C-alpha cells in the first residue's frame, strides 16, 4: 500500500497546473472544454457572485482559491468526466500578460479600451 501512495503522489505532482487568476478571485476569460461525454462551460463572474458550480467542479474551484466563478456541466453527470473536463478547461486559461509577452505587445493593447477607461489586468 505505501508504494501505491508514493506512486500516486508522484503522478499528482507531475500533473500540477498553474491557473492565473484576475484580481486573485476569478478567471481571466470564459472557456468551454470537454472530456469524453462531459462538457463544461466556465465563466468569469463579478465580485461577490461566489462559486456557482455543482458537485465536483465546486470542490476544484474551492481548492484553487477561486472566489467568483460560474460553471455549468452539460452532457454528463459522471463526476470523473466533469473533473477531467474542468481541469482541461483550466489548462487553457491564459493571462493577458502572457498573451502580450508572446505577441510582443503591451497588456493595454491586448485588453483594449474598457468601459471606465482603465486597462488593468
Amino acid at each position: 500500500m505505501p508504494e501505491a501512495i508514493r506512486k500516486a503522489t508522484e503522478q499528482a505532482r507531475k500533473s500540477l497546473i498553474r491557473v492565473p487568476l484576475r484580481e486573485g478571485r476569478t478567471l481571466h476569460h470564459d472557456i468551454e472544454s470537454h472530456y469524453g461525454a462531459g462538457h463544461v462551460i466556465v465563466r468569469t463572474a463579478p465580485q461577490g457572485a461566489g462559486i456557482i458550480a455543482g458537485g465536483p467542479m465546486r470542490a476544484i474551484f474551492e481548492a484553487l482559491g477561486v472566489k467568483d466563478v460560474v460553471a455549468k456541466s452539460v452532457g454528463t453527470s459522471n463526476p470523473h468526466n466533469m473533473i477531467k473536463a474542468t481541469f482541461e478547461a483550466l489548462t487553457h486559461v491564459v493571462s493577458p500578460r502572457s498573451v502580450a509577452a508572446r505577441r510582443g505587445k503591451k497588456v493595454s493593447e491586448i485588453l483594449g479600451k474598457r468601459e471606465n477607461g482603465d486597462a488593468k489586468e
Side-chain angles (χ1 to χ4, degrees), residues 22-93:
R22 180 174 26 161
E23 301 168 1
R25 61 170 189 81
T26 190
L27 304 174
H28 285 284
H29 54 86
D30 301 348
I31 194 155
E32 291 185 36
S33 183
H34 71 279
Y35 180 86
H39 182 83
V40 296
I41 302 166
V42 182
R43 303 190 71 198
T44 62
Q47 189 168 5
I51 299 173
I52 303 172
M57 289 191 296
R58 173 179 289 275
I60 291 171
F61 294 126
E62 286 175 353
L64 279 174
V66 177
K67 294 175 183 67
D68 301 311
V69 69
V70 177
K72 176 72 178 160
S73 172
V74 183
T76 184
S77 60
N78 180 348
H80 182 265
N81 286 347
M82 286 171 62
I83 289 171
K84 290 281 198 173
T86 304
F87 270 107
E88 179 67 26
L90 292 174
T91 59
H92 292 23
V93 174

Side-chain angles (χ1 to χ4, degrees), residues 100-118:
R102 190 171 57 236
R103 293 182 187 174
K105 296 186 174 190
K106 295 179 183 175
V107 176
S108 59
E109 293 178 58
I110 300 296
L111 293 177
K113 296 284 185 188
R114 291 219 173 158
E115 296 168 8
N116 55 4
D118 64 349

Side-chain angles (χ1 to χ4, degrees), residues 1-14:
M1 195 64 157
E3 183 68 16
I5 294 170
R6 184 187 64 77
K7 286 181 178 179
T9 305
E10 283 180 12
Q11 186 175 1
R13 282 193 183 122
K14 288 178 185 175

